[in-house]
Amino acid sequence: QVQLLESGGGSVQAGGSLRLSCQFSGRTFPSYAMGWFRQAQGKKRERVAEINSGGSTNYPDSVKGRFTISRDNANKATYLQMNSLKPEDTAVYYCAARRGYDFNYWGQGTQVTVSS
């Protein structure tokens, strides 16, 4: 059974940085693609970063150049470094894992609040 636990959220001023962490519990972590998603109040959930089992990454234009996803297979952890944060980055951030097409394992989320 896979479990994901996020940490590292908080409140920062615009232009600041935060680093989110996701601890994976379960087997064969290296075989999973990992993603970070966010959901702002009243909005749809959106993917903000993904890293596959080979280490290739993908970002939407809204965060490209500001956010960096990484993984540590030895420690079964995934990270999201967020720089140059903007008020519109305010959301609950979720870590997710998949081996197939869909992300079917999710963490409980961590709040990120960016003030202007």
Side-chain angles (χ1 to χ4, degrees):
Q1 181 70 11
V2 171
Q3 291 185 320
L4 304 172
L5 181 64
E6 303 98 334
S7 61
S11 298
V12 294
Q13 290 192 323
S17 298
L18 281 174
R19 188 191 194 212
L20 305 183
S21 299
C22 174
Q23 187 63 50
F24 177 103
S25 296
R27 299 174 65 182
T28 64
F29 172 73
S31 68
Y32 285 82
M34 301 298 297
W36 286 96
F37 292 73
R38 68 186 179 188
Q39 187 165 20
Q41 195 167 10
K43 295 189 176 181
K44 292 172 58 177
R45 184 175 61 195
E46 64 170 333
R47 182 178 59 91
V48 296
E50 182 171 343
I51 185 167
N52 68 16
S53 57
S56 296
T57 58
N58 190 269
Y59 308 91
D61 289 343
S62 58
V63 307
K64 196 173 292 183
R66 301 189 298 121
F67 289 12
T68 303
I69 188 171
S70 61
R71 65 189 298 159
D72 180 349
N73 286 340
N75 292 304
K76 298 185 181 180
T78 306
Y79 305 100
L80 184 67
Q81 178 67 43
M82 305 185 293
N83 298 329
S84 302
L85 283 162
K86 305 175 181 180
E88 52 262 43
D89 294 318
T90 295
V92 178
Y93 284 71
Y94 298 90
C95 175
R98 67 175 176 89
R99 275 201 298 196
Y101 183 79
D102 295 320
F103 282 95
N104 44 18
Y105 298 103
W106 294 85
Q108 85 290 347
T110 186
Q111 177 71 44
V112 171
T113 302
V114 185
S115 58
S116 57

